[in-house]
Amino acid sequence: MNTPKFTTLGCRLNAYETEAMKELSAQAGLDNAVIVNTCAVTAEAVRKGRQEIRKLRRENPGARLIVTGCAAQVDPESFAEMAEVDAVIGNTEKMQAGTWTGLAGDFGTEAVQVDDIMSVTETAGHLIDGFGTRSRAYVQVQNGCDHRCTFCIIPYGRGNSRSVPAGVVVDQIKRLVDRGYNEVVLTGVDLTSWGADLPSEPRLGDLVMRILKLVPDLPRLRISSIDSIEVDENLMSAIATEPRLMPHLHLSLQHGDDLILKRMKRRHLRDDAIRFAQEARALRPDMTFGADIIAGFPTETEAHFENSLKLVQECDLTWLHVFPYSKREGTPAARIPSQVNGNIIKDRAARLRAEGERQVKLHLAAQIGRTHKVLMENAHMGRTEQFTEVRFAAPQPEGQIVQATITGSENGQLLA
């Protein structure tokens, strides 16, 4: 039997779902297949998906090739028309056991199985008990997004926001701790919208507090990308009072200029972002921030861009994810007439990245001589509570939290 091969493009949630698909396809007995889990976040991501499909077909001429993920959900027919593709399944269908049972049968199922993602009202939270290294597990608590940022196609690939009930999340994390995981990361598409569709409409802070109270043996809880304007009082309280909540937040900022933020249809202004960063750091002085920032959004002038550059300093951002704007058909931003020249976009993205690299160097330099608790991902590399990589000269026990004094830095890593 040839075990199915999986290729994952895009976000951490896609990687999580690939692990779930591996289990579902194994249970169904799927054989001799290649599955591509695509991304639709930019036009470039879709292009890479098609490129990967062609490459995998050349490498696996006798296998059945199945395409899923956000790009397949948004535009299933274009993938079905590719000569290399045998079947296209949607983001909801890929999480259903029946889909894989059908695919494992005589393959007489429909070539395209993609329903209306906007009609989906629930998200399963029990598919897998985490994945990743032996030290860190990722738990999906939310899927989809109710917002309609003008540059973003993802709601059409993921559907509206829906939450995994708190009890299901807590039970899953208890199992992970029993299996020896020392850190759990809560993940989702729009994490701070968690709970809005549940009875009594709890907030993300309520979930965090509940996990920390009901799973006292969990050493470290981390939350992934958040929308700072949606952060609730309980989450701020957890930042201030719960040392087991890690002092590292990745912020979905996207830009530093108010006019561009309005044209992006974001829900915050630059002062909101600065205020949140200042408040969070006042509550937790060791807090570090990452952020998503887009360079070259339509109508962006040099002055607008300079405001994004300044925001890096004003929020004291350390880990930047810089995205050169990519025109995405089907989004309102793609119809804006004043698109920025591609060379200018590249230049601005490079300048943002350079600023990010400077911030990382400052952060690393400030850690020398300090003692950190480091969660080991392998014998020689672990991460601090702020998610900074630490390289060890002597081997350490994988999956354990060790105390280390930082002696220097090199190639973006701390040394111990």
Side-chain angles (χ1 to χ4, degrees):
M1 177 175 175
N2 294 322
T3 307
K5 296 178 183 176
F6 285 82
T7 293
T8 306
L9 302 164
C11 66
R12 177 66 65 177
L13 191 55
N14 247 16
Y16 179 104
E17 290 170 343
T18 290
E19 295 303 306
M21 287 191 285
K22 285 178 182 176
E23 289 195 8
L24 292 168
S25 63
Q27 290 165 5
L30 182 64
D31 188 17
N32 195 26
V34 175
I35 298 93
V36 183
N37 198 5
T38 62
C39 172
V41 70
T42 63
E44 176 65 11
V46 177
R47 188 190 69 77
K48 283 183 178 175
R50 295 185 189 283
Q51 190 178 48
E52 188 69 16
I53 288 164
R54 295 185 186 102
K55 171 174 158 282
L56 288 168
R57 171 51 75 205
R58 289 194 300 272
E59 293 172 354
N60 304 274
R64 296 176 290 183
L65 200 149
I66 301 159
V67 180
T68 187
C70 288
Q73 178 70 48
V74 171
D75 190 10
E77 296 302 335
S78 71
F79 285 94
E81 288 168 3
M82 292 180 70
E84 296 86 355
V85 174
D86 294 303
V88 180
I89 59 175
N91 269 337
T92 301
E93 288 75 15
K94 74 182 183 185
M95 295 288 101
Q96 296 171 344
T99 303
W100 296 97
T101 304
L103 291 169
D106 61 4
F107 216 62
T109 53
E110 294 177 59
V112 178
Q113 299 180 60
V114 181
D115 284 342
D116 176 14
I117 196 77
M118 295 300 176
S119 67
V120 180
T121 58
E122 292 184 356
T123 283
H126 58 279
L127 291 165
I128 61 169
D129 282 339
F131 76 99
T133 66
R134 283 168 52 195
S135 55
R136 180 179 298 108
Y138 294 81
V139 173
Q140 181 188 355
V141 302
Q142 182 274 341
N143 204 341
C145 185
D146 290 337
H147 307 303
R148 297 295 181 264
C149 299
T150 59
F151 55 83
C152 188
I153 199 77
I154 296 306
Y156 305 98
R158 289 283 176 183
N160 292 317
S161 180
R162 53 230 189 255
S163 312
V164 178
V168 175
V169 175
V170 168
D171 287 345
Q172 187 172 2
I173 293 174
K174 284 179 178 176
R175 291 197 301 272
L176 290 165
V177 172
D178 288 344
R179 289 174 53 197
Y181 284 96
N182 280 318
E183 182 175 302
V184 165
V185 185
L186 303 183
T187 187
V189 173
D190 182 28
L191 202 56
T192 31
S193 70
W194 180 88
D197 57 323
L198 297 176
S200 78
E201 299 184 6
R203 304 292 299 277
L204 181 62
D206 302 323
L207 177 64
V208 167
M209 288 294 215
R210 187 165 176 179
I211 291 166
L212 292 169
K213 179 182 178 183
L214 297 180
V215 196
D217 295 335
L218 173 66
R220 291 164 57 144
L221 178 66
R222 197 178 290 280
I223 52 181
S224 56
S225 183
I226 62 169
D227 199 337
S228 58
I229 199 69
E230 293 185 324
V231 169
D232 61 282
E233 195 175 316
N234 261 353
L235 186 51
M236 296 304 284
S237 178
I239 289 168
T241 64
E242 291 286 356
R244 291 185 294 145
L245 179 63
M246 294 297 93
H248 166 252
L249 295 172
H250 190 83
L251 309 177
S252 178
L253 298 182
Q254 310 306 348
H255 212 274
D257 185 87
D258 285 347
L259 181 61
I260 299 297
L261 287 166
K262 286 177 180 176
R263 287 173 176 165
M264 287 179 164
K265 209 173 176 184
R266 299 294 294 162
R267 293 163 304 289
H268 71 275
L269 299 175
R270 67 176 289 113
D271 283 350
D272 297 319
I274 295 165
R275 190 181 310 112
F276 171 79
Q278 290 173 341
E279 288 176 2
R281 192 168 274 113
L283 295 172
R284 191 77 179 268
D286 59 345
M287 180 69 74
T288 59
F289 298 110
D292 295 331
I293 301 183
I294 294 172
F297 185 82
T299 76
E300 182 189 76
T301 64
E302 181 64 23
H304 296 147
F305 172 72
E306 287 286 343
N307 279 333
S308 282
L309 268 183
K310 290 176 194 168
L311 191 71
V312 177
Q313 295 291 323
E314 290 164 327
C315 290
D316 196 11
L317 306 174
T318 302
W319 318 107
L320 294 191
H321 287 183
V322 177
F323 295 89
Y325 174 76
S326 171
K327 188 175 180 179
R328 192 71 183 82
E329 294 303 329
T331 63
R335 299 193 297 272
I336 297 175
S338 302
Q339 301 284 321
V340 179
N341 177 277
N343 289 329
I344 293 174
I345 292 175
K346 284 181 185 175
D347 174 67
R348 290 176 182 170
R351 288 159 62 194
L352 267 174
R353 290 193 185 105
E355 184 66 14
E357 288 166 9
R358 195 179 77 82
Q359 288 288 98
V360 170
K361 286 178 183 175
L362 290 172
H363 171 70
L364 297 178
Q367 309 313 308
I368 296 171
R370 294 185 182 179
T371 300
H372 279 280
K373 294 176 181 175
V374 181
L375 178 64
M376 299 306 301
E377 295 187 3
N378 57 52
H380 289 278
M381 199 282 283
R383 290 185 189 267
T384 68
E385 293 184 333
Q386 292 84 5
F387 213 59
T388 312
E389 287 189 4
V390 184
R391 193 165 80 245
F392 287 75
Q396 305 294 321
E398 184 178 343
Q400 298 304 302
I401 297 171
V402 301
Q403 289 245 10
T405 299
I406 305 305
T407 59
S409 69
E410 186 177 77
N411 299 324
Q413 292 179 316
L414 296 172
L415 304 177

